[in-house]
Amino acid sequence: MKKYIITITLYVVTCSPPMGGQRGACQNVGINTTGAAPNASALLDINASPGNNLGLLIPRMTTNDRNNIASPAIGLLIYNTDCNNFNYYNGTGWQPVNTTGGNIPGTAGTITGATTVCLSQSGVAYSIPATTNATGYIWSYTGTGFTIATGVNTNSITADFAASATSGTLTVYGTNACGNGTASPAYSITVNAVPAAAGTISGTTPVCQSQNGVAFSVGSISGATGYVWTYTGIGLTIATGANTNSITVDFSASATSGNITVYGTNSCGSGIVSPNYAITVNAPPTTAAAGADQTDAATCGLTTVTLAGNAPTVGTGAWTITSGAGGTVNLPTSPTSTFTGTAGTAYTLRWTISNAPCTASYDEVNVTFNQNPTTANAGPDQTLICDATTATLAGNTPAPGTGLWTVFSGTATITTPSSPTSGVTGLAAAGTATLRWTISNAPCTSSFDDVVLTTSSCCVYAPGNMTFIYTGAQETWQVPCEVTSITVDAKGAEG
């Protein structure tokens, strides 16, 4: 085996102390295999010649030995064999020269756990996978009110959030005797409070049974993700907007009055409920009945009647005149008020029963103040000239009503039956005829009066029969009016 001898040149530096105000002079030391002088800027210049592959070996020791160095100087350098890393002393403690590599913990992984929590929430779990070389773990939170409850110095913890906790980011890094690893990515945590107190509800009151689509709302509640509406009465159903701050509701036919309230909710709980909003639920009014029409003979000659509406059990009633002029309801709110109008006028009256806000009910009645017909007057009886067969009547003009002539007895022809002064023809040459003048105004009782027309013959002697008797036979002749004698030429007769 061949042996090689390497010659190492050692230059020793000597220094002379300052004298006479002059600066001291020092020489540096160089260690190499070439005999080269040390670099002037270096106190110690160690230069490995090409090909000899030699290095500088720093003192090697365990962490325990390092820690036993008495009063280490600032900048003291050792190689830690436990950590496989150079350590230096910075005046307060030993620090690794390299923050990664060797036996320093690896980079912490991604945190898993709740991203949204609530004020005063406890036992919230967070963790990371085990970090290489880590013997402990340091968790940090940028917000306030965060306390590790279990798992301190481990990779899996549970945390409590105070009533005043704030949002922030959570990080963790591994530790061991060699140093600290790289921290995990920041993990954002939002701390929510329960919703704020609900404000004042706005809406509609009173409402009516069976009324639909009634709107109620409250201002948006801070922090609320949902809304809970409650009602102390019965028969209210949310039709639209459930779980929001603006709803419409339907009221059933049996709904009752009550208070409606609302409060906000989120994953942290429920907020303070709103003040009560009182809702009055009214029943529909009694169905109106105005009574029977008063248009028959019972009103003949009247200008005042008594109405016959029904008395409301729910709501209030009122009479109004919808047609007809000059009428007056004496007590409009009374179902049995008297009503005064004008003779001969027809009216329509409406009886309305109301109970707001429900739809009013109404019914109508017709009232007609019928007039009795004018008292009939057929005029004076008439005695006509002899042999007259016509006459002119003299009845009175109806006001009100309509007149009509009829032949009550005798023989006559009325030329214009509806005219009070109609002509009459066809009277007997001698005799009487009774004619009746009737004035009617339905449905009232008619009025009538009779006139007697008397006719006579102009004959002085009344017509009659004359009989001529002769032997074995007789003859009879009708003798006309005004004939006072006849001559009989009897031949061959005896007696």
Side-chain angles (χ1 to χ4, degrees):
M1 181 176 101
K2 295 181 179 181
K3 295 183 180 180
Y4 297 89
I5 298 174
I6 299 175
T7 303
I8 298 176
T9 302
L10 174 64
Y11 286 88
V12 178
V13 178
T14 61
C15 296
S16 60
M19 296 182 64
Q22 297 296 318
R23 185 177 180 183
C26 293
Q27 293 182 342
N28 48 10
V29 176
I31 301 175
N32 55 56
T33 60
T34 62
N39 188 288
S41 66
L43 188 62
L44 175 63
D45 181 2
I46 302 174
N47 186 3
S49 300
N52 61 17
N53 300 323
L54 298 176
L56 176 66
L57 191 61
I58 297 297
R60 302 171 301 280
M61 64 188 72
T62 66
T63 300
N64 186 59
D65 291 339
R66 182 202 67 181
N67 292 340
N68 287 330
I69 297 175
S71 302
I74 294 174
L76 186 64
L77 181 68
I78 63 102
Y79 184 82
N80 190 323
T81 57
D82 289 336
C83 299
N84 293 322
N85 200 350
F86 289 99
N87 292 173
Y88 70 94
Y89 191 74
N90 67 357
T92 58
W94 291 96
Q95 302 297 324
V97 172
N98 297 315
T99 57
T100 61
N103 292 338
I104 290 177
T107 299
T110 301
I111 297 172
T112 59
T115 58
T116 301
V117 298
C118 300
L119 294 176
S120 302
Q121 187 172 348
S122 300
V124 184
Y126 297 96
S127 64
I128 61 168
T131 301
T132 302
N133 296 328
T135 59
Y137 295 82
I138 303 298
W139 295 82
S140 299
Y141 184 65
T142 61
T144 62
F146 176 96
T147 304
I148 297 176
T150 64
V152 174
N153 205 35
T154 72
N155 66 320
S156 181
I157 63 172
T158 62
D160 296 341
F161 291 85
S164 59
T166 61
S167 299
T169 58
L170 182 65
T171 56
V172 62
Y173 59 85
T175 65
N176 62 19
C178 301
N180 299 327
T182 302
S184 65
Y187 190 75
S188 296
I189 300 174
T190 301
V191 180
N192 289 328
V194 296
T200 300
I201 294 172
S202 60
T204 300
T205 186
V207 297
C208 190
Q209 289 175 338
S210 300
Q211 186 173 347
N212 295 330
V214 184
F216 296 94
S217 64
V218 69
S220 295
I221 299 174
S222 177
T225 57
Y227 294 78
V228 176
W229 295 83
T230 57
Y231 184 60
T232 60
I234 62 172
L236 179 148
T237 302
I238 296 177
T240 64
N243 204 37
T244 73
N245 68 319
S246 181
I247 61 173
T248 62
V249 303
D250 296 341
F251 291 89
S252 70
S254 59
T256 62
S257 299
N259 295 321
I260 191 170
T261 56
V262 64
Y263 60 86
T265 62
N266 62 19
S267 59
C268 295
S270 302
I272 298 174
V273 70
S274 68
N276 288 337
Y277 185 85
I279 301 174
T280 301
V281 180
N282 288 337
T286 302
T287 301
D293 289 344
Q294 300 187 51
T295 58
D296 58 11
T299 66
C300 290
L302 300 180
T303 55
T304 297
V305 295
T306 298
L307 301 172
N310 59 324
T313 55
V314 176
T316 56
W319 287 105
T320 55
I321 302 170
T322 61
S323 68
T328 301
V329 180
N330 298 312
L331 293 173
T333 59
S334 171
T336 56
S337 172
T338 56
F339 171 65
T340 301
T342 302
T345 303
Y347 297 89
T348 299
L349 284 79
R350 178 173 291 177
W351 177 235
T352 302
I353 300 178
S354 304
N355 193 32
C358 303
T359 302
S361 174
Y362 68 87
D363 188 33
E364 293 180 337
V365 62
N366 296 314
V367 175
T368 301
F369 291 113
N370 294 302
Q371 291 179 281
N372 286 315
T374 303
T375 301
N377 184 351
D381 292 342
Q382 299 182 40
T383 300
L384 304 176
I385 62 174
C386 66
D387 289 340
T389 59
T390 63
T392 298
L393 300 172
N396 59 329
T397 300
T402 57
L404 182 66
W405 287 106
T406 56
V407 177
F408 184 73
S409 65
T411 299
T413 298
I414 302 169
T415 58
T416 309
S418 61
S419 170
T421 57
S422 174
V424 179
T425 63
L427 295 171
T432 60
T434 301
L435 278 65
R436 177 164 290 176
W437 178 234
T438 302
I439 299 177
S440 302
N441 192 31
C444 301
T445 302
S446 299
S447 174
F448 66 88
D449 188 33
D450 294 338
V451 62
V452 178
L453 303 180
T454 302
T455 58
S456 61
S457 174
C458 292
C459 295
V460 176
Y461 302 100
N465 295 326
M466 181 174 290
T467 302
F468 177 74
I469 300 172
Y470 57 93
T471 302
Q474 67 177 30
E475 294 290 340
T476 300
W477 295 275
Q478 178 69 39
V479 178
C481 177
E482 300 298 333
V483 175
T484 58
S485 65
I486 59 173
T487 299
V488 177
D489 184 8
K491 296 180 179 181
E494 295 181 358

